[in-house]
Amino acid sequence: MASPRSLRPLTRQILVLALAALALSLPAAAAVNRWTPLGPGGGEVRSLALDPDDPVTLLAAMGRAGLYVSPNGGESWVWSGTGMAGLSVGVVASDPDTPDTFYAAAGNDSTPDVVFRSVNGGASWQPVLEIEPAAGGVRAFAAAGGTVYAMAGQELYTSQDSGTTWHLVFAGGDLIDLAVDPQNPEKAYLATPIGLYRTTNAGAVWTPAAAGPQIVDLRSVAVAPSRPATLYAITGTTLYRSDDGGATWTAGTKLIAYAYDLAVDPRDPGTVYLYGYDVTVSRDGGATLQKIETGLPHGEFAATLPVWALVIRPDRPGTLYAGTYREGVYLSTTGGRRWRPAANAGLDARRFDWIQTNPAVPAQLDALSNGQLFRSLDRGATWSRLNAGASTRNEVRVDARTLLRGTAGGLVRSTDDGRTWTEVLDSSIPPPEDDFYAGRSVRWIKNDPADPRIVYARADDYFVHHHGPGIAYFVRSLDGGATWRALPAVFDVVEIEPGHPRTLYAAGPDHIYKSVNGGLTWKTLGALTHGTDLEVDPRAPSTIYAGTQANGVWRSPDGGVTWAPANAGLARLGRRHIVDLEISPGIRGLVYATPLEGGLFQSLFGGSADAPTN
């Protein structure tokens, strides 16, 4: 059997081939009948791990987007979640003494309750431990010398054979964090709300670590790799240090920013980093702290972009990688004094709400992520950030002066090109006779350039202190939004056939429907479960694309009568829930998809690659 180190050339070859495939799938050359990533890179980095034998190689746990590997310090990435597709990956870790062996925790939604192991550098993964969901899911790993600790919310498991067999060694209380002595992996520390516990026999027996009063309200504990007797711990207010393996502690400085985790310099036991909503550092053993956040993604999004992970290169302790909540991986080569975003090419994990084309500028793409608008003017080859107000998704133009906009408070109309707005829907559809009526939310609004005065919208009455969904209306206006009529059927997803504004397609819970009279009556078409979006090909109206809630993208060649999955390139990544689809106005058969799990994707359907019209 090959030794772990002998697998290194194979692992490197896998990554090189994967990156070559990524280069072939750049936005300028969409694959035929296969979904390929479109960028921009980024996303929720929930955990980071360094390859101990090649510390320029990073692994990133990206939640529902899966697991990614970078062979070059975050500059480029490939998806590496084979065996975990469709699961949410919350934690990843390495063993500094076992090259090519990694551990990851994955599960459904936010509960990573299965431990996976890779013995080939992350190329593939196999389950090795399943934890009861009631235990809270795996929140942390600690590993050294083939001994692995896996901490769930209320249970701790250990393995002394690199994850082949496991034993439950601690249960019956909330667990906060753990750390292992890298020079003696049978010695480990477990942080709980009531204090710190220590084992010297790989978890068989646990005793209070402190000789005196315990430190309570612990948030994190860390061991200094170069001097394992030195430990650091943080509470909600204070950084503590121990130089005798946790027996006694000295309170250091008060925290100057909220922190929930620690990372100790692998060579200097006096340097410790604290991270959370900011990154701070002590270079004098905890006596003082200073912020080191220059270049990190703060400012407008400071409250929603904390640093979730931080790792330090053991061969270059001045090189740090930070995993952020939304913005991918950041890099510092100055000991944290200055940061820059890694290129993050191929880290297709950023969650988007929608993607939108512009018929007037066929090469333009707009996509909204976490309130941030991204725009590309070259079909996704490059992207820039704009203010979210630069593009309004829920708005239609009727003529040169008339606009209609759906809002959380109703439907408003402007007849002076947006300078003033008037509520128009409630005057046509009176609110119900209910004292708790609080307004009307317009979830979507649509028209067609062939006759922009015909407008459709979905409106939902909502109530204060009223339990229930209220009343939903599918409404139509024939006069540019001046007056409205409620139609007999209500659907979450409705699409207009381009050029035929009275021909509509709708998605119900288990079928597709069609109306040829502007929504007055509907005909049942083919079966399709939980459609989330519909797009009718403007060049071939019998071709319809559908996004679904759990089964990816489907395609109908006969106007919605029969459907077949069109998930090549998406299925293996676990991208199953599609929130938005869009058809390119410039290239025949080019379709864009936005999965809930993260990233933007494109596919060229039909086998032809017509030249762009603009």
Side-chain angles (χ1 to χ4, degrees), residues 89-116:
V89 184
V91 191
V92 62
S94 60
D95 182 336
D97 302 307
T98 313
D100 291 305
T101 299
F102 295 89
Y103 306 91
N108 296 314
D109 299 323
S110 59
T111 305
D113 49 16
V114 179
V115 174
F116 289 81

Side-chain angles (χ1 to χ4, degrees), residues 562-589:
T562 61
W563 293 86
N567 288 318
L570 284 180
R572 81 176 189 91
L573 303 179
R575 303 312 204 259
R576 298 173 179 174
H577 186 155
I578 306 299
V579 297
D580 194 30
L581 293 173
E582 192 82 353
I583 295 177
S584 169
I587 299 179
R588 183 181 181 89

Side-chain angles (χ1 to χ4, degrees), residues 385-411:
R385 295 171 183 259
L386 302 176
N387 187 293
S391 176
T392 302
R393 175 74 163 179
N394 208 24
E395 181 178 287
V396 299
R397 179 171 289 279
V398 175
D399 55 42
R401 296 183 58 80
T402 306
L403 295 167
L404 291 164
R405 179 181 296 169
T407 72
L411 185 66

Side-chain angles (χ1 to χ4, degrees), residues 245-340:
T248 60
W249 292 85
T250 300
T253 184
K254 297 292 184 182
L255 303 190
I256 59 176
Y258 177 80
Y260 53 75
D261 215 338
L262 297 167
V264 184
D265 187 304
R267 292 185 183 176
D268 179 7
T271 297
V272 58
Y273 298 89
L274 292 68
Y275 57 95
Y277 287 104
D278 297 287
V279 179
T280 58
V281 64
S282 174
R283 305 187 194 277
D284 52 16
T288 61
L289 282 170
Q290 65 180 109
K291 285 189 177 183
I292 51 168
E293 58 180 2
T294 302
L296 283 172
H298 287 288
E300 181 182 358
F301 300 103
T304 55
L305 285 176
V307 174
W308 278 18
L310 190 144
V311 293
I312 308 166
R313 282 186 58 170
D315 59 330
R316 296 181 184 177
T319 298
L320 287 72
Y321 301 99
T324 67
Y325 177 45
R326 298 280 188 182
E327 296 296 312
V329 174
Y330 274 63
L331 166 68
S332 173
T333 58
T334 59
R337 293 177 177 86
R338 293 181 302 279
W339 296 84
R340 67 169 178 85

Side-chain angles (χ1 to χ4, degrees), residues 493-495 497 503-506 513-514 522 525 534 536 541 544 559:
V493 180
V494 174
E495 185 61 29
E497 181 177 303
T503 299
L504 308 175
Y505 293 89
Y513 301 85
K514 182 178 182 179
W522 294 87
L525 300 177
L534 293 171
V536 181
I544 306 175

Side-chain angles (χ1 to χ4, degrees), residues 143-512:
T147 297
V148 190
Y149 299 82
M151 186 195 80
Q154 296 182 339
E155 296 178 348
L156 181 70
Y157 293 80
T158 64
S159 171
Q160 292 184 276
D161 52 12
S162 297
T164 300
T165 59
W166 294 83
H167 303 281
L168 176 64
V169 296
F170 197 101
D174 291 335
L175 307 181
I176 306 300
D177 196 16
L178 78 157
V180 65
D181 181 336
Q183 298 179 21
N184 179 10
E186 291 199 349
K187 182 184 292 184
Y189 301 88
L190 184 62
T192 76
I194 60 173
L196 187 70
Y197 290 81
R198 177 175 57 190
T199 181
T200 58
N201 50 19
V205 177
W206 294 87
T207 58
Q214 286 275 21
I215 302 172
V216 297
D217 188 30
L218 282 167
R219 302 291 175 86
S220 180
V221 61
V223 175
S226 61
R227 189 195 297 161
T230 297
L231 278 67
Y232 292 92
I234 51 172
T235 67
T237 61
T238 308
L239 172 64
Y240 290 84
R241 172 175 171 163
S242 172
D243 288 310
D244 52 13
T248 60
W249 292 85
T250 300
T253 184
K254 297 292 184 182
L255 303 190
I256 59 176
Y258 177 80
Y260 53 75
D261 215 338
L262 297 167
V264 184
D265 187 304
R267 292 185 183 176
D268 179 7
T271 297
V272 58
Y273 298 89
L274 292 68
Y275 57 95
Y277 287 104
D278 297 287
V279 179
T280 58
V281 64
S282 174
R283 305 187 194 277
D284 52 16
T288 61
L289 282 170
Q290 65 180 109
K291 285 189 177 183
I292 51 168
E293 58 180 2
T294 302
L296 283 172
H298 287 288
E300 181 182 358
F301 300 103
T304 55
L305 285 176
V307 174
W308 278 18
L310 190 144
V311 293
I312 308 166
R313 282 186 58 170
D315 59 330
R316 296 181 184 177
T319 298
L320 287 72
Y321 301 99
T324 67
Y325 177 45
R326 298 280 188 182
E327 296 296 312
V329 174
Y330 274 63
L331 166 68
S332 173
T333 58
T334 59
R337 293 177 177 86
R338 293 181 302 279
W339 296 84
R340 67 169 178 85
N344 287 322
L347 191 62
D348 305 299
R350 187 187 296 273
R351 290 194 185 185
F352 288 89
D353 301 297
W354 47 257
I355 185 170
Q356 182 171 281
T357 61
N358 184 349
V361 186
Q364 179 178 323
L365 294 172
D366 288 345
L368 186 71
S369 173
N370 191 37
Q372 176 72 61
L373 182 70
F374 291 82
R375 173 167 291 172
S376 173
L377 297 177
D378 49 17
R379 294 187 177 85
T382 59
W383 294 85
S384 59
R385 295 171 183 259
L386 302 176
N387 187 293
S391 176
T392 302
R393 175 74 163 179
N394 208 24
E395 181 178 287
V396 299
R397 179 171 289 279
V398 175
D399 55 42
R401 296 183 58 80
T402 306
L403 295 167
L404 291 164
R405 179 181 296 169
T407 72
L411 185 66
V412 292
R413 184 173 185 251
S414 173
T415 57
D416 54 11
D417 199 25
R419 286 188 289 274
T420 60
W421 296 86
T422 304
E423 168 65 46
V424 294
L425 191 56
D426 279 347
S427 61
S428 298
I429 303 176
E433 297 296 328
D434 193 311
D435 291 339
F436 296 121
Y437 174 71
R440 185 168 281 133
S441 173
V442 176
R443 295 175 54 182
W444 52 259
I445 182 169
K446 297 179 180 180
N447 66 351
D448 186 82
D451 190 345
R453 293 175 60 79
I454 301 178
V455 187
Y456 303 93
R458 169 165 171 145
D460 293 87
D461 290 337
Y462 58 93
F463 302 85
V464 177
H465 307 305
H466 176 78
H467 298 288
I471 302 171
Y473 302 93
F474 179 40
V475 296
R476 183 186 71 186
S477 174
L478 300 177
D479 55 12
T483 60
W484 294 84
R485 172 183 178 179
L487 298 174
V490 181
F491 298 99
D492 289 331
V493 180
V494 174
E495 185 61 29
I496 304 171
E497 181 177 303
H500 300 86
R502 293 179 184 269
T503 299
L504 308 175
Y505 293 89
D510 49 20
H511 281 85
I512 299 298

Side-chain angles (χ1 to χ4, degrees), residues 19-47:
L19 288 172
L22 174 67
L24 292 175
S25 64
L26 288 176
V32 175
N33 298 326
R34 184 175 185 83
W35 295 98
T36 56
L38 193 60
E44 299 180 6
V45 184
R46 299 190 179 185
S47 179

Side-chain angles (χ1 to χ4, degrees), residues 62-111:
M62 304 298 294
R64 294 183 67 172
L67 191 134
Y68 285 76
V69 177
S70 171
N72 49 23
E75 297 304 301
S76 57
W77 296 82
V78 293
W79 185 85
S80 185
T82 301
M84 296 187 291
L87 300 178
S88 179
V89 184
V91 191
V92 62
S94 60
D95 182 336
D97 302 307
T98 313
D100 291 305
T101 299
F102 295 89
Y103 306 91
N108 296 314
D109 299 323
S110 59
T111 305

